Amino acid sequence: MAHVALADKGQELSHPHSWITQYVWSQDHKVIGIQYMVVATLVGLLALVMSGMMRLQLGFPGTFTLIEPNEYYQFVTMHGMIMVVFMLTAFFLGGFGNILIPLMCGARDMVFPYMNMLSFWVYLLSVIILVASLFVPGGATGAGWTLYPPQAITPGTPGADWGILLMLISLAVFIVAFTMGGLNYLTTALQARTRGMTLMRLPLSVWGIVMATILGLLAFPALFVAAIMMTLDNVLGTSFFMPAVNILGEQLEHDGGSPILFQHLFWFFGHPEVYIVALPMFGIASDLISTHARKNIFGYRMMVWAIVAIGGLSFVVWAHHMYVSGMNPYFGFLFATTTLIIAVPTALKVYNWVLTLWEGDIHLNVPMLFAIGFIFTFIHGGITGLFLGNVAVDVPLSDTYFVIGHFHMVMGVSPFLVVFGGLYHWYPKLTGRMMNVTLGKIHFWLTFLGTYAIYLPMHYIGILGVPRRYYANGVTDFMPESVATINSSITIAALIVGGAQFIFIYNLIASLFKEKDAGGNPWNATTLEWQTPDTPPKHGNWDDELPVVYRWAYAYSVPGADKDFIPQNEPPSDKTGKE
Amino acid sequence: MANSNEASAGTLVEDWSGDKETFRVHWGKAMMWIFLLSDTFIFTSFLTSYMHVRMSTAEPWPNASEVFALTMFGQSIPLILIAIMTFVLITSSGTMALAVNYGYRRDRKKTATLLVITALLGATFVGMQAFEWSKLIAEGVRPWGNPMGAAQFGSCFFMITGFHGGHVTGGVIYLAYVATGVINGRYEEKGYDIVEICGLYWHFVDLVWVFIFAFFYLW
Ligand code: HEM
Ligand SMILES: [Cu+2]
């Protein structure tokens, strides 16, 4: 018997019967995506406010007493962990992944909508556990977002008993949530594409999100195992990560464990995690650039293979985070080499974005501004990464503000610019309204220029030797007085950038009521999500028939065609030629 | 089905990147494969961590053959219980494979019987594991220390066998659920792929046990 592709059998969708099942216990991938986005934004705002408070302390030491010295570590830890895991990962995969994959593949929903819904609720649970850790005795953990033992669970570190426990549980719960979602994203993209949608016709957004999902499914297990073992060390007194520790003459009950083991597990997760955030960012940026430059993406196949290659390589570079932990020099050499090799496919992508812009019919719409801004910040952050990938350069720069500047540029600001660009781009599809352009431009310029004002000087004070994770620097020989001035200016810029985000939030809400109708395809884009019969797309996305795809996702400005774009599902006609 | 990639007997890449379905299998089966791949990374992390702490600890590692020996008929036989457990689990993989076969033949009675036998074998395994745990606990082995040597021995033992035992227990429940479905004819319309999907999980759990057996008990 011939195998019938399941997408052809028609999927049974559970249709909502009430307001609750439509918007709360919803199994619709679009609603789930928006739920993910809303929760991620809320914790993201918490992390933003925390960074503002840290900056007030660093810029004007002693003036504001918002943070006590012993609380500073807790702020650093929560800010970092929330931003990386609970905000960016959740936003790109749970948010954009949920919304874009079925729409762009031409599916009616994720393959297992119920599990998809569970994924969101379990994610919400993990966020609640995380936020609860702020209120337990001893407060949140102050172990740094890397949670290195032994200090993460030794007395003296803030939150060493309850805070760290809740953090570890919250991470484990997050991983369960991610796995339920991730299995769905990957299976949907592999198995439920519509007729004609070959893998090599998928928009790069889907490629980026899918590859990031694969990385997540293979990298989170290491963190999961590390979290279990550290929980056991903490609660049962085992010694997986704990060597014999002597604090103030008192011997702890641990012996013979290996703190380095934790670092390996953590970074086996931690480095791919960077690409879990970066690959969706690459994919979405490619689509924004191509659409708004009215040109096909330069080197589509190369872009796909670069995503795959970067994803694969990201599993063999993790120890570049451990150059200062003590390792065999040959080992360091090996990891420096693999790290620099990743730069090749990455640089290739950057060239291709620039070549896509080259001689394009560039429309400086708000999403395009963010996409171009992203190219700048990503190049800057990427180049400092090449410095840090070399052992000899990294050793003196490690744990200074140079590192802070580097990773905020490459995986803090750059993904956020793409998140913003993506929201300005897809908001019309999700709501049926355009977003206010003036506010959008103000938001862009404040954020883009502001981030340079924040992070460029950080590289400089980092080279001077200003250490990271310090509450106050005091006066030392190697820090000239200008460091204090620079720190004040960074703080002022950070507050302006932080404030600018509230303009964006206002724009998101106000545009719902004030702005004009967007129509189905305001950007004249080719991909399937813009061709849905309804805007916003209804439950099930398509009418009785699924769309049929005839061409790739980048048919912009095709010579001889009567419009400057040809939707993927438009049947070939004589005019458009050979397809 | 006239998928475009069926007509063009192309290369592997063309085949994989054809439209609609990369792998010509049930959605659930594809998802189970992916899940098991992810789970493999969990167990690999557990086992490499075990090897790492075994090398990092300063205390001598207890000799597994002695710790896991049972005294039967007045003689101490090394690893006898573990050998029986392994035998039970591998047998259950056999009955599982038969269940899949009869499932596709739509022989509901035989499928259900074989699934129940598989589940019972799994439950026996968990029971023997519980016996082994209680024996070690009686001998003073705890997650945080034991009289025979390195504390990490007990930590790894309880953590890894516990995590694996949890997988087996989950599998028994899953098998029981599928077995009742087969008896009630729940899959008459949808087909019996679910038996195979369940089987994939079960074989995986067996395979993992082989590795735990080799690395923890034999080394
Ligand atoms: C206006 C935006 C932001 C500001 C002002 C800011 C500020 C800061 C500050 C002051 C620190 C502590 C530095 C130290 O004392 O060591 C920090 C650490 C960190 N930030 Fe941000 N940040 C921002 C956005 C982000 C974003 C978007 C990310 C997402 C990746 C991020 C990730 C981190 C991480 C991972 C750490 C390290 C935490 C640790 O050392 O354990 N930040 N940030
Ligand atoms: Cu890295």
Side-chain angles (χ1 to χ4, degrees):
Chain A
M1 191 178 69
H3 174 83
V4 181
L6 268 115
D8 281 350
K9 285 188 188 160
Q11 194 178 353
E12 299 159 28
L13 295 178
S14 119
H15 283 290
H17 302 292
S18 66
W19 188 86
I20 297 266
T21 44
Q22 191 165 2
Y23 295 108
V24 185
W25 305 112
S26 173
Q27 300 188 22
D28 182 342
H29 69 103
K30 299 176 291 294
V31 178
I32 296 172
I34 293 171
Q35 288 172 327
Y36 255 110
M37 286 180 169
V38 169
V39 175
T41 307
L42 290 178
V43 269
L45 282 176
L46 176 65
L48 180 77
V49 171
M50 288 181 146
S51 72
M53 290 165 73
M54 287 189 289
R55 274 320 315 178
L56 279 175
Q57 164 57 31
L58 294 171
F60 308 98
T63 315
F64 305 89
T65 39
L66 296 172
I67 307 181
E68 297 292 321
N70 56 339
E71 290 166 353
Y72 188 78
Y73 273 169
Q74 299 172 310
F75 275 74
V76 172
T77 308
M78 292 301 272
H79 162 78
M81 191 65 95
I82 291 177
M83 282 294 190
V84 174
V85 175
F86 295 89
M87 162 70 211
L88 284 174
T89 305
F91 206 98
F92 271 124
L93 299 178
F96 282 125
N98 253 312
I99 292 168
L100 294 182
I101 291 177
L103 281 170
M104 286 185 156
C105 292
R108 294 202 183 275
D109 206 315
M110 289 290 177
V111 288
F112 294 104
Y114 185 78
M115 202 162 99
N116 202 26
M117 173 182 84
L118 276 186
S119 161
F120 167 72
W121 291 102
V122 177
Y123 163 65
L124 182 63
L125 178 68
S126 77
V127 170
I128 291 173
I129 297 175
L130 183 81
V131 174
S133 81
L134 292 168
F135 302 102
V136 293
T141 173
W145 91 281
T146 47
L147 306 179
Y148 278 8
Q151 109 282 5
I153 53 176
T154 35
T157 307
D161 19 53
W162 287 104
I164 184 75
L165 190 62
L166 287 190
M167 172 63 89
L168 294 169
I169 295 175
S170 161
L171 285 171
V173 173
F174 178 90
I175 293 169
V176 172
F178 167 78
T179 306
M180 291 197 281
L183 290 173
N184 252 316
Y185 314 150
L186 187 53
T187 315
T188 306
L190 286 179
Q191 301 295 96
R193 281 164 286 128
T194 188
R195 184 179 298 274
M197 183 58 95
T198 63
L199 286 181
M200 281 301 175
R201 283 177 178 173
L202 279 176
L204 286 169
S205 297
V206 178
W207 268 107
I209 295 170
V210 163
M211 196 65 206
T213 307
I214 297 177
L215 296 194
L217 289 171
L218 304 184
F220 275 119
L223 181 67
F224 187 73
V225 168
I228 290 182
M229 295 203 288
M230 205 198 285
T231 309
L232 293 177
D233 276 6
N234 193 13
V235 178
L236 287 186
T238 57
S239 305
F240 289 109
F241 300 136
M242 298 295 281
V245 180
N246 188 309
I247 296 180
L248 300 174
E250 204 187 321
Q251 190 73 26
L252 296 188
E253 298 263 317
H254 297 283
D255 193 15
S258 168
I260 293 282
L261 170 62
F262 179 86
Q263 299 189 12
H264 280 298
L265 289 172
F266 183 85
W267 288 113
F268 185 82
F269 145 77
H271 189 86
E273 166 64 32
V274 174
Y275 286 93
I276 291 171
V277 173
L279 294 180
M281 145 178 114
F282 292 163
I284 292 173
S286 307
D287 283 353
L288 298 187
I289 290 170
S290 170
T291 307
H292 295 275
R294 318 306 297 160
K295 241 185 94 183
N296 62 308
I297 192 80
F298 189 91
Y300 173 79
R301 275 176 181 267
M302 250 193 281
M303 292 299 250
V304 170
W305 289 115
I307 286 179
V308 175
I310 294 172
L313 284 170
S314 72
F315 280 101
V316 290
V317 300
W318 78 89
H320 63 208
H321 296 276
M322 297 163 59
Y323 291 151
V324 292
S325 304
M327 63 167 120
N328 187 313
Y330 289 110
F331 206 51
F333 176 74
L334 174 78
F335 278 95
T337 311
T338 52
T339 303
L340 298 186
I341 291 176
I342 282 208
V344 177
T346 312
L348 193 147
K349 296 193 78 72
V350 175
Y351 286 126
N352 285 356
W353 290 319
V354 176
L355 286 168
T356 306
L357 291 173
W358 184 264
E359 300 214 318
D361 174 10
I362 297 177
H363 293 47
L364 285 180
N365 300 320
V366 181
M368 184 61 153
L369 288 177
F370 279 96
I372 296 177
F374 150 79
I375 301 182
F376 279 89
T377 56
F378 185 69
I379 292 178
H380 286 125
I383 286 179
T384 48
L386 288 179
F387 288 69
L388 295 172
N390 289 287
V391 187
V393 186
D394 179 71
V395 168
L397 287 178
S398 187
D399 281 324
T400 67
Y401 263 84
F402 189 88
V403 173
I404 299 280
H406 154 68
F407 73 69
H408 275 94
M409 214 63 184
V410 78
M411 76 161 311
V413 174
S414 303
F416 262 93
L417 290 182
V418 173
V419 163
F420 295 139
L423 283 175
Y424 283 105
H425 185 76
W426 280 294
Y427 186 88
K429 180 47 63 177
L430 290 176
T431 61
R433 306 270 160 178
M434 298 304 283
M435 279 181 82
N436 185 300
V437 175
T438 320
L439 289 179
K441 290 197 169 159
I442 297 175
H443 174 219
F444 170 73
W445 286 109
L446 285 178
T447 308
F448 179 65
L449 297 179
T451 54
Y452 272 98
I454 300 173
Y455 297 113
L456 273 191
M458 283 193 189
H459 294 83
Y460 172 67
I461 60 173
I463 291 174
L464 289 180
V466 177
R468 77 189 267 205
R469 293 182 178 167
Y470 269 43
Y471 174 72
N473 291 312
V475 185
T476 58
D477 284 344
F478 66 86
M479 283 185 233
E481 254 176 62
S482 55
V483 167
T485 325
I486 291 178
N487 261 331
S488 314
S489 87
I490 292 177
T491 297
I492 292 170
L495 294 178
I496 295 175
V497 170
Q501 308 319 312
F502 291 90
I503 303 181
F504 174 63
I505 304 242
Y506 168 80
N507 195 353
L508 277 178
I509 298 168
S511 295
L512 267 184
F513 306 103
K514 290 197 183 152
E515 287 298 314
K516 63 174 195 293
D517 238 10
N521 189 0
W523 312 116
N524 289 339
T526 56
T527 40
L528 285 184
E529 80 275 21
W530 299 104
Q531 325 303 337
T532 52
D534 310 86
T535 298
K538 59 171 183 273
H539 189 54
N541 297 345
W542 316 98
D543 287 336
D544 293 342
E545 289 288 315
L546 288 175
V548 179
V549 168
Y550 298 97
R551 62 180 63 70
W552 71 336
Y554 300 98
Y556 290 107
S557 308
V558 178
D562 43 11
K563 315 173 280 211
D564 73 346
F565 72 106
I566 312 173
Q568 286 192 277
N569 61 342
E570 191 171 294
S573 69
D574 297 338
K575 256 202 189 144
T576 57
K578 48 203 180 304
E579 288 131 341
Chain B
M1 215 38 233
N3 275 2
S4 61
N5 56 356
E6 210 166 46
S8 68
T11 61
L12 186 70
V13 175
E14 275 171 40
D15 215 33
W16 274 24
S17 59
D19 59 355
K20 295 206 255 189
E21 293 194 339
T22 302
F23 306 102
R24 321 197 111 215
V25 296
H26 196 280
W27 286 347
K29 196 164 149 193
M31 185 178 277
M32 182 54 90
W33 272 112
I34 300 167
F35 169 72
L36 294 180
L37 194 63
S38 180
D39 215 13
T40 307
F41 272 62
I42 292 197
F43 279 106
T44 313
S45 300
F46 271 127
L47 285 174
T48 39
S49 300
Y50 144 70
M51 294 174 204
H52 188 113
V53 293
R54 183 165 171 168
M55 287 189 283
S56 79
T57 181
E59 304 280 316
W61 199 258
N63 182 341
S65 311
E66 283 164 24
V67 178
F68 300 106
L70 278 191
T71 309
M72 279 158 65
F73 316 114
Q75 242 180 336
S76 165
I77 312 175
L79 293 181
I80 178 72
L81 180 64
I82 317 299
I84 300 173
M85 282 165 72
T86 310
F87 179 74
V88 167
L89 209 56
I90 291 185
T91 312
S92 78
S93 253
T95 54
M96 185 72 232
L98 286 174
V100 173
N101 188 330
Y102 282 111
Y104 280 128
R105 293 190 205 172
R106 299 191 169 247
D107 188 335
R108 278 166 53 197
K109 214 165 165 190
K110 283 207 178 102
T111 312
T113 320
L114 284 161
L115 283 173
V116 171
I117 295 176
T118 312
L120 286 178
L121 288 171
T124 315
F125 176 89
V126 177
M128 289 193 282
Q129 186 120 67
F131 171 76
E132 193 194 16
W133 274 44
S134 50
K135 178 174 164 284
L136 283 178
I137 291 173
E139 287 167 8
V141 181
R142 300 283 182 277
W144 52 89
N146 64 69
M148 299 105 167
Q152 282 78 5
F153 174 79
S155 328
C156 291
F157 170 76
F158 287 115
M159 180 175 73
I160 295 179
T161 59
F163 207 75
H164 179 264
H167 271 69
V168 180
T169 313
V172 170
I173 296 168
Y174 188 15
L175 283 166
Y177 170 80
V178 176
T180 43
V182 171
I183 294 168
N184 300 337
R186 203 190 299 147
Y187 311 118
E188 277 301 290
E189 232 174 90
K190 291 192 219 160
Y192 284 83
D193 299 270
I194 182 140
V195 183
E196 193 187 351
I197 296 171
C198 180
L200 284 177
Y201 175 83
W202 193 255
H203 295 314
F204 170 80
V205 172
D206 285 9
L207 186 67
V208 167
W209 175 254
V210 173
F211 281 92
I212 295 176
F213 181 68
F215 287 120
F216 196 86
Y217 293 94
L218 291 186
W219 178 19

